[in-house]
């Protein structure tokens, strides 16, 4: 648990990374709660029938995981805007790496701009994005 | 080259869906499925002392809302295959247990991009989410790619 104030954040700061295995069960659990319980997100055979290499994670799940990285990094941060581009299918049953960095601080409204991405073990960026995050000030 | 389609499609509301009240259980399950650790989303008691004075949903919770109609019937097809290109989410107010949300869907933009592998068409569906007080909760732009 950590709380970071605007004054403690610098441009170029790394957002605390998350390395995690993404299991098929976690994808199914997400698909179920997110009303996306369809074959491409739940079983390999069904996904293959749709021309995919196997079951994939919903794009919005990747977006949710990147948002979680921000809230784990700074529990006092509020996401105002997050945008993500789904560049390649996210295949579960392997490790994923969530990464981010602060690219800009806006003194006028105490927001910070961040770059975000999810990569695989080979450093391929499956999902990329940006976010604008409001952080509290000490003053 | 300009894309040929009925320009009056842009901005037209093609769906309005009302959702049942958001439950605490559904917020906790959504947060758990993402592995959230922030008590704002996972712990009702701790959240009551926090920023929003109560449990709120993680910011991407609104992406689980499914419109009755995902696209308008008269949407032209530009390509053979569709992909989920991405989302842009603007978060305007927190979602709390008991909120009843409504979502309005419009076609926001249609454009073409030409790359190495040929032409790609982008259809941007804008979903605007409001709560029972009429407050704007979120705007979700959904980019569908066709090729």
């Amino acid at each position: 648990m950590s709380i970071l104030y605007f004054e403690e954040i610098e441009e170029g700061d790394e957002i605390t990374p998350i390395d995690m295995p993404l299991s098929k069960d976690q994808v199914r659990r997400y698909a179920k709660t997110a009303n996306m319980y369809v074959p491409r997100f739940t079983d390999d055979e069904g996904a293959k029938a749709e021309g995919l290499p196997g079951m994939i994670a919903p794009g919005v799940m990747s977006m949710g995981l990147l948002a979680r990285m921000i809230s784990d990094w700074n529990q006092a941060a509020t996401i105002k805007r997050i945008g993500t581009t789904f560049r390649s299918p996210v295949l579960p049953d392997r490790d994923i790496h969530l990464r981010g960095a602060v690219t800009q601080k806006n003194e006028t409204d105490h927001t910070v701009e961040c770059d975000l991405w999810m990569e695989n073990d080979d450093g391929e960026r499956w999902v990329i994005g940006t976010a604008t995050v409001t952080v509290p000030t000490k003053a | 080259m300009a894309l040929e389609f009925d320009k009056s499609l842009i901005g037209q509301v093609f769906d309005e869906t009302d959702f049942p009240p958001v439950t605490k259980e559904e917020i906790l399950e959504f947060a758990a499925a993402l592995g959230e650790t922030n008590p704002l989303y996972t712990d009702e008691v701790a959240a009551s002392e926090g920023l929003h004075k109560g449990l709120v949903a993680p910011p991407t919770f609104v992406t689980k809302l499914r419109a009755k109609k995902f696209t308008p019937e008269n949407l032209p097809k530009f390509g053979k295959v569709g992909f989920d290109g991405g989302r842009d989410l603007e978060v305007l107010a927190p979602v709390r247990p008991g909120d009843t949300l409504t979502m309005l869907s419009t076609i926001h933009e249609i454009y073409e991009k030409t790359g190495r592998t040929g032409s790609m068409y982008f259809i941007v569906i804008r979903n605007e989410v409001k709560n029972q007080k009429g407050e704007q909760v979120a705007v979700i732009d959904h980019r569908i790619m066709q090729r």
Side-chain angles (χ1 to χ4, degrees), chain A residues 9-101:
Chain A
I9 298 171
E10 301 293 337
E11 288 175 7
D13 279 0
E14 181 184 57
I15 294 171
T16 313
I18 297 177
D19 298 295
M20 58 180 270
L22 182 66
S23 72
K24 287 181 178 169
D25 280 344
Q26 191 181 357
V27 172
R28 290 187 192 108
R29 184 180 185 180
Y30 180 88
K32 189 163 182 232
T33 186
N35 305 317
M36 301 179 95
Y37 209 80
V38 294
R40 62 167 62 190
F41 305 131
T42 57
D43 92 275
D44 284 331
E45 291 315 309
K48 282 177 188 159
E50 292 184 43
L52 292 161
M55 68 174 267
I56 61 171
V60 283
M61 181 178 188
S62 302
M63 184 190 214
L65 290 169
L66 289 169
R68 174 197 144 193
M69 171 175 65
I70 293 175
S71 105
D72 279 358
W73 166 64
N74 185 357
Q75 299 211 328
T78 305
I79 293 177
K80 281 183 71 178
R81 184 198 60 78
I82 178 167
T84 43
T85 298
F86 310 138
R87 299 173 79 204
S88 359
V90 171
L91 300 160
D93 259 1
R94 56 202 80 194
D95 289 333
I96 55 168
H97 309 283
L98 306 172
R99 297 285 183 271

Side-chain angles (χ1 to χ4, degrees), chain A residues 77-135:
Chain A
T78 305
I79 293 177
K80 281 183 71 178
R81 184 198 60 78
I82 178 167
T84 43
T85 298
F86 310 138
R87 299 173 79 204
S88 359
V90 171
L91 300 160
D93 259 1
R94 56 202 80 194
D95 289 333
I96 55 168
H97 309 283
L98 306 172
R99 297 285 183 271
V102 175
T103 54
Q104 197 187 321
K105 284 180 76 176
N106 308 312
E107 301 286 341
T108 45
D109 59 359
H110 303 117
T111 58
V112 299
E113 303 293 330
C114 308
D115 276 351
L116 313 167
W117 67 96
M118 175 200 287
E119 60 184 39
N120 66 5
D121 283 341
D122 299 324
E124 289 162 357
R125 296 186 181 190
W126 281 347
V127 179
I128 57 170
T130 59
T132 307
V133 178
T134 308
V135 283

Side-chain angles (χ1 to χ4, degrees), chain B residues 28-39:
Chain B
L28 294 173
E29 177 55 21
F30 189 86
L34 289 173
E36 290 280 3
T37 62
N38 194 326

